[in-house]
Amino acid sequence: MTDRLRKEAEAVIAGNSVENESSALVHELQVHQIELEMQNEELRQTQAELSREHERYYQLFNDAPVGYITLDKAGIIQRSNQTFMQMVGVEKDPKTKALSSFLTDNSRSIFLGQFSAFFRHPEGKELEIMPRVSGLQENRDDTTPVTLKLSGRLLTLPGEDDLLFATLTDITEIRHATDKVASLLNEKELLLREVHHRIKNNLSILAAFVSLQSRSAESDEIKEILQKVYAKVQAISEMYTVLQGSGSYTAIDLGSFLYRLVRDTESTLFTDSSHSISVKPLPVTITVNQAVTAGLVINELVTNAVKHALVPGQPAEITVQMLNKPDGKICVQISNSIPEPPQPPSPEKKISSGDGTSLIKALAEQLDGEITFSRQEHSFQACLIFRPESPDEAF
């Protein structure tokens, strides 16, 4: 820079001739004088630019939309910006004061319990604090307590103690919205719980009424019809029992539901305790709508299996099991033994026609599934095949 300034200074006095040694000295002094003046001008410009940059940085730091503070390991404030001061409702520089002194009693206790660990490893962590007084409430209509999110990183300087450079963000509206959503969800859950409870109670009353009518029916045909109605009502009621026990109101474990459903059907259809149904469930989650439909189909198939397997003097073998299929679908398979001769009319013939078959096929279509039947030498199988639907897919 000196060579450049000298050339510029010499250019200013160019054209003046140097007649003697004194004139040469004067010339040199003039060059140095002009050179110094140019240096001073450049320094003044640089100083002015530094001042402007400092002012811009100061404004950026002080008027940032988030609070800035540096804390030592004891939680003492070493530096802060104007936004932070507004956040905690102070006008004077809070330097050398503990951050915890500006917090509510409950927030202070939590902060003091967590700060040491947070200071050592702040990366990826956050703390929520609530100031006792905050200037942020002045521009708000409500009196919701201000909540600040504190995050930061360690500043490590040679020869000095580590400091935590922290930012504080106002998350009051986010916290308020989150709490409101949580409250609405809790209200919805209570409402669903009450609705499901009332539905189950009404189904129990209906089942009891149908059972009473069945016992007093004079016609065997009417009694059989009422027993089927009772079994279907109980199938739906059992679904709500499992649903209440799971704590969910949109999904149900089909394996648990299947076990309860078969056991209830077993107690209704078997008068002889020597008979039983083998149940082999799997943990598969389905939606409530699928559970209602599948429950009605399974109930009808189990009822048919019991009807065709029970013959006086012969053991009845009935198995209900869940099988996973390679394509992601499941099969609920109901197998029953075929009595030795003399045989009643073929189970395949009976189950492939009539109102019962029409019902289960229509219900299977609601599941986007299908019913398959197969017969071997000593057994008959019916299989409900459908793809389990998660609660998220249902919406």
Side-chain angles (χ1 to χ4, degrees):
M1 183 180 73
T2 303
D3 291 342
R4 177 180 59 81
L5 291 176
R6 182 175 182 82
K7 290 178 180 179
E8 291 179 2
E10 288 177 341
V12 172
I13 59 173
N16 296 334
S17 60
V18 181
E19 298 179 354
N20 51 43
E21 185 176 344
S22 297
S23 298
L25 180 60
V26 171
H27 173 80
E28 185 69 22
L29 289 175
Q30 288 176 336
V31 169
H32 280 295
Q33 180 180 1
I34 295 173
E35 184 179 354
L36 288 174
E37 289 175 355
M38 289 180 175
Q39 286 182 341
N40 288 337
E41 180 60 27
E42 288 195 359
L43 287 173
R44 282 193 294 271
Q45 292 177 359
T46 302
Q47 183 63 39
E49 183 62 26
L50 286 174
S51 297
R52 287 192 294 270
E53 288 297 326
H54 180 271
E55 182 64 24
R56 283 195 286 267
Y57 173 79
Y58 181 81
Q59 290 179 348
L60 179 65
F61 178 80
N62 253 338
D63 300 333
V66 296
Y68 291 135
I69 55 172
T70 52
L71 301 170
D72 64 15
K73 63 182 180 181
I76 305 300
I77 299 172
Q78 302 299 314
R79 183 176 296 176
S80 64
N81 69 345
Q82 193 68 35
T83 304
F84 169 76
M85 294 168 62
Q86 182 186 15
M87 285 178 167
V88 296
V90 296
E91 296 181 356
K92 295 183 179 180
D93 187 357
K95 184 178 180 179
T96 72
K97 293 185 178 180
L99 174 60
S100 59
S101 65
F102 298 101
L103 308 182
T104 62
D105 293 341
N106 185 54
S107 183
R108 183 187 306 119
S109 300
I110 297 174
F111 174 79
L112 292 176
Q114 298 177 341
F115 181 72
S116 294
F118 181 83
F119 183 89
R120 291 193 297 270
H121 304 287
E123 292 78 10
K125 298 179 182 178
E126 297 175 350
L127 293 179
E128 288 190 9
I129 59 176
M130 299 178 68
R132 287 184 289 106
V133 181
S134 177
L136 300 178
Q137 288 179 317
E138 295 177 358
N139 300 323
R140 292 179 176 155
D141 297 331
D142 58 44
T143 57
T144 303
V146 171
T147 303
L148 305 176
K149 179 182 72 175
L150 185 149
S151 57
R153 62 183 180 86
L154 280 180
L155 294 177
T156 303
L157 300 175
E160 297 184 17
D161 293 334
D162 290 346
L163 293 175
L164 177 70
F165 177 66
T167 61
L168 293 100
T169 308
D170 181 12
I171 60 169
T172 306
E173 294 183 3
I174 296 175
R175 173 58 58 199
H176 180 64
T178 302
D179 292 343
K180 187 174 182 179
V181 170
S183 176
L184 291 173
L185 287 175
N186 184 59
E187 184 179 337
K188 178 183 176 182
E189 182 177 338
L190 291 174
L191 181 61
L192 283 172
R193 185 184 304 170
E194 178 63 21
V195 169
H196 288 176
H197 180 69
R198 292 189 181 187
I199 290 175
K200 186 179 183 305
N201 285 348
N202 290 337
L203 289 171
S204 298
I205 293 172
L206 178 59
F209 176 76
V210 173
S211 178
L212 181 63
Q213 292 296 312
S214 174
R215 287 196 294 269
S216 62
E218 297 180 357
S219 167
D220 291 339
E221 184 179 357
I222 294 177
K223 182 177 292 188
E224 182 180 357
I225 292 173
L226 290 174
Q227 286 176 345
K228 287 185 176 182
V229 172
Y230 171 81
K232 289 176 174 58
V233 174
Q234 278 296 98
I236 301 175
S237 179
E238 284 299 331
M239 188 273 296
Y240 280 100
T241 300
V242 175
L243 198 63
Q244 287 181 331
S246 68
S248 172
Y249 300 97
T250 57
I252 188 171
D253 179 62
L254 179 58
S256 299
F257 175 43
L258 179 68
Y259 186 86
R260 290 186 63 96
L261 176 62
V262 172
R263 289 290 171 250
D264 185 76
T265 304
E266 181 183 62
S267 64
T268 303
L269 298 177
F270 287 156
T271 56
D272 186 352
S273 60
S274 63
H275 297 297
S276 64
I277 302 176
S278 174
V279 186
K280 301 176 182 179
L282 292 175
V284 176
T285 301
I286 61 175
T287 64
V288 171
N289 288 339
Q290 281 190 315
V292 172
T293 306
L296 293 174
V297 174
I298 294 167
N299 172 263
E300 184 72 21
L301 293 175
V302 171
T303 301
N304 284 334
V306 171
K307 178 179 178 181
H308 296 303
L310 284 182
V311 172
Q314 295 188 29
E317 296 181 5
I318 302 172
T319 301
V320 179
Q321 62 180 332
M322 293 173 59
L323 304 170
N324 286 317
K325 298 182 73 64
D327 58 359
K329 296 182 179 180
I330 58 169
C331 167
V332 182
Q333 185 184 78
I334 297 90
S335 305
N336 64 271
S337 58
I338 299 176
E340 295 296 329
Q343 295 183 1
S346 167
E348 187 171 5
K349 180 179 179 181
K350 283 196 169 187
I351 202 166
S352 62
S353 61
D355 295 336
T357 303
S358 299
L359 173 64
I360 60 176
K361 286 185 175 181
L363 291 172
E365 288 179 1
Q366 290 184 19
L367 292 169
D368 290 329
E370 60 178 330
I371 298 288
T372 63
F373 303 107
S374 62
R375 180 170 180 169
Q376 299 177 1
E377 184 177 358
H378 299 294
S379 65
F380 181 80
Q381 291 87 32
C383 188
L384 169 63
I385 302 172
F386 68 99
R387 185 181 301 279
E389 189 179 65
S390 68
D392 293 337
E393 294 173 337
F395 293 96

